[in-house]
Amino acid sequence: MPFNNSGGINIIKKILLILLRLLTIPYSYAVLAITLLYRKPTNTHKIKPPFWEITELIKGNESLLFDIIANTIMLFPLGIFAPLCFRKSDKPKKIALIGLIVSVSIEIAQLVTTRGLFEIDDIFHNTLGAFLGAYIGCPLAKRIFTEDSSQRKK
């Protein structure tokens, strides 16, 4: 019989939840470091036209494929962590909105600090990554926050 706290989450689920939430700290730092901290200022404010990466990829510039994949992967963990940290973030649409807000914030910070370009493409790919990650994070959070059926009977 698992130990049950007042919230209905057994001790193993509680420990797993704490560990997963702790992972958000190094993840958040890594995103901040990659997007702002370890970039040198260019002293120019540049805004790229929408979907320029995809257009160039279609034209045959395969070197941009890495950027597209990297930007999609960057906020994928956000889609996993957000439902575990915020119970109301329980649907992929909500996670996509969070990903959009985080991505727009990053792009604006890069534009203002000149530590990168403001790219609609990055916003799209980051948001897509968060949305895809939600398909792991939302069911995982639901499983963690839901009482076991054996506990409900008692």
Side-chain angles (χ1 to χ4, degrees):
M1 180 174 158
F3 173 76
N4 204 7
N5 68 8
S6 61
I9 302 174
N10 72 37
I11 193 71
I12 293 170
K13 287 182 178 180
K14 188 85 166 169
I15 291 169
L16 177 63
L17 187 60
I18 290 167
L19 290 173
L20 288 169
R21 285 178 174 173
L22 284 173
L23 282 175
T24 64
I25 297 167
Y27 167 70
S28 299
Y29 178 77
V31 169
L32 189 62
I34 290 167
T35 59
L36 291 168
L37 297 178
Y38 295 125
R39 289 182 170 208
K40 292 181 181 176
T42 61
N43 299 318
T44 58
H45 303 280
K46 289 187 180 177
I47 300 174
K48 286 288 204 173
F51 304 110
W52 75 273
E53 283 181 325
I54 294 171
T55 303
E56 288 297 314
L57 184 66
I58 291 169
K59 288 179 183 177
N61 187 349
E62 293 176 4
S63 65
L64 292 172
L65 187 59
F66 176 80
D67 289 339
I68 292 169
I69 292 170
N71 276 303
T72 304
I73 291 171
M74 186 172 74
L75 291 191
F76 185 87
L78 175 74
I80 297 170
F81 294 139
L84 298 169
C85 293
F86 309 104
R87 282 193 183 196
K88 291 190 178 194
S89 302
D90 58 349
K91 302 266 187 289
K93 283 185 194 178
K94 291 179 182 178
I95 304 302
L97 180 60
I98 292 169
L100 176 69
I101 291 166
V102 168
S103 185
V104 168
S105 300
I106 289 168
E107 294 301 315
I108 289 171
Q110 287 179 334
L111 180 66
V112 170
T113 63
T114 71
R115 292 179 184 264
L117 310 173
F118 185 95
E119 297 184 53
I120 300 293
D121 295 39
D122 289 356
I123 294 170
F124 175 75
H125 296 119
N126 292 161
T127 304
L128 176 64
F131 181 72
L132 295 174
Y135 281 97
I136 294 172
C138 290
L140 180 61
K142 185 176 181 179
R143 186 174 175 128
I144 288 173
F145 292 130
T146 303
E147 291 183 49
D148 293 334
S149 59
S150 61
Q151 293 173 346
R152 282 189 224 132
K153 291 178 184 175
K154 294 181 181 184

